Amino acid sequence: MNRTEASELVGGLTSTSKMPCASYSIPAQACKTGKKLVGIKGSVCHGCYALKGFYQFPQGKKARDNRLSSLYNIKWVEAMVTLIKPRKDSAYFRWHDSGDVQGIIHLSNIMEVARLTPNCDHWIPTRENAFLKAYVESGKIIPKNMYVRVSALMRDGKPPKKFVDKLNKYDNVEGFIGTSTIHHKKEAIGSGCIAYNQDGECRDCRTCWTTEENISYPFHTKRKALL
Ligand code: SF4
């Protein structure tokens, strides 16, 4: 499979211009937990950036819809690896600047892409705790180059540390399962994201891929596509 074929098959990758690497997005409207949270005032999904602004431009919407409909194509893993591996910025990859894990098969395929791109560090934020738990408990591997961050569900909420601590005890978790929060009226817990002090850009920061501390992103109604 060449890169053109791969791109057509998965709907291409995403470039946010804020991140130091390529990313990948599917429609936020398809988020299973997010769909419930978005209507709850004070939740981390309330006012979701991916449901408004430039995320609603027709071209981008169509691309995310195409990606969603391609998720269970038998060649999806091969196509994603074909797109990620040769990139100049392939030392890092960020999953889901919009959207979230759709199920166990989807999560398994993402982990397989990470396993097949061992020179790339992958970061995936998620609110889909049940899928992650089922995946880990089934004995499937979280590769050593994968950094999963489970988000607190409410702004100023505590990191779901107990939940991730239990999962990190499994031998099949070779990578790392960490946490993230959004602070609004309280101080950041752990490591505060610095992008908002540098024009919404990561620049040299790679904390989301490296730290075992909780990462806290400041709440802002005009947050850019980082968390
Ligand atoms: S902590 Fe913020 S600036 Fe640093 S890598 Fe994560 S999103 Fe980017």
Side-chain angles (χ1 to χ4, degrees):
M1 184 184 299
N2 63 38
R3 290 179 73 184
T4 305
E5 289 164 342
S7 189
E8 274 172 19
L9 195 144
V10 301
L13 303 181
T14 315
S15 175
T16 65
S17 82
K18 308 294 180 292
M19 304 296 299
C21 60
S23 58
Y24 174 84
S25 62
I26 54 178
Q29 288 84 349
C31 291
K32 297 189 185 298
T33 298
K35 205 183 289 177
K36 297 175 198 154
L37 290 176
V38 77
I40 301 174
K41 206 172 170 188
S43 80
V44 293
C45 296
H46 190 247
C48 174
Y49 64 76
L51 290 172
K52 54 192 180 187
F54 74 87
Y55 271 86
Q56 295 311 301
F57 289 177
Q59 201 179 346
K61 268 184 89 171
K62 190 168 181 287
R64 284 187 293 282
D65 288 343
N66 288 344
R67 290 185 202 114
L68 184 66
S69 60
S70 77
L71 284 185
Y72 299 109
N73 187 301
I74 198 157
K75 292 189 170 176
W76 187 86
V77 170
E78 181 188 349
M80 288 298 291
V81 172
T82 301
L83 290 180
I84 292 171
K85 249 189 179 167
R87 292 182 62 91
K88 282 189 189 139
D89 58 2
S90 68
Y92 299 95
F93 191 77
R94 185 256 163 93
W95 291 90
H96 300 156
D97 57 88
S98 162
D100 206 335
V101 174
Q102 298 293 298
I104 304 280
I105 295 172
H106 182 203
L107 186 58
S108 301
N109 287 344
I110 289 170
M111 295 300 165
E112 184 63 359
V113 171
R115 193 184 68 78
L116 293 169
T117 53
N119 296 324
C120 174
D121 284 342
H122 294 250
W123 158 35
I124 180 167
T126 187
R127 289 151 182 87
E128 300 298 349
N129 299 19
F131 296 144
L132 180 64
K133 183 170 180 285
Y135 177 87
V136 171
E137 288 179 350
S138 74
K140 288 171 184 264
I141 286 175
I142 301 230
K144 56 178 185 261
N145 55 330
M146 175 60 86
Y147 300 81
V148 183
R149 292 204 175 271
V150 180
S151 169
L153 300 184
M154 300 300 288
R155 295 199 297 259
D156 288 326
K158 287 188 181 160
K161 189 168 178 328
K162 272 190 192 163
F163 174 74
V164 304
D165 282 352
K166 271 189 194 164
L167 296 186
N168 277 315
K169 285 186 181 143
Y170 282 78
D171 289 341
N172 46 311
V173 179
E174 296 174 359
F176 178 69
I177 305 176
T179 60
S180 68
T181 48
I182 292 179
H183 58 280
H184 184 199
K185 294 177 179 166
K186 295 185 179 174
E187 291 295 309
I189 299 170
S191 186
C193 173
I194 60 168
Y196 304 90
N197 299 325
Q198 43 194 37
D199 300 325
E201 296 173 4
C202 296
R203 297 189 188 166
D204 292 336
C205 181
R206 300 290 181 270
T207 307
C208 287
W209 288 270
T210 54
T211 187
E212 295 197 1
E213 272 193 317
N214 179 66
I215 298 189
S216 193
Y217 306 94
F219 174 73
H220 195 288
T221 52
K222 289 181 182 165
R223 278 180 297 155
K224 294 181 180 175
L226 287 169
L227 59 159

